[in-house]
Amino acid sequence: MREEEQKRIFERFYRGVEAKNHAKGSGLGLAVVKYLCELANYKIEFESKWMVGTTFKVFFYK
């Protein structure tokens, strides 16, 4: 994903400029995951390189 789009990745209904060319969806999935992580006091992080891929990590705490 492009660097300028990364700050918006967890916004509801946000889809990257080229997202409709690669995947179907409404743009809610990551917003829901982020919300659930916040409710459970989990931490979510991601790393992304344009034209390579994106990796998400969720840290579960006791």
Side-chain angles (χ1 to χ4, degrees):
M1 122 186 22
R2 297 174 192 259
E3 193 170 329
E4 59 271 13
E5 295 178 324
Q6 292 181 17
K7 62 182 172 252
R8 298 187 65 195
I9 192 168
F10 295 113
E11 280 183 28
R12 287 180 283 164
F13 303 109
Y14 178 73
R15 299 204 49 198
V17 175
E18 298 179 9
K20 60 185 164 197
N21 298 330
H22 301 287
K24 295 179 182 180
S26 63
L28 282 175
L30 289 173
V32 170
V33 170
K34 173 83 172 174
Y35 176 74
L36 293 173
C37 285
E38 289 172 353
L39 281 177
N41 281 331
Y42 298 160
K43 181 178 178 184
I44 186 168
E45 294 179 349
F46 71 96
E47 292 181 16
S48 185
K49 293 194 186 337
W50 173 241
M51 299 297 287
V52 175
T54 304
T55 302
F56 290 88
K57 296 178 183 177
V58 177
F59 298 91
F60 304 94
Y61 301 105
K62 286 187 176 185

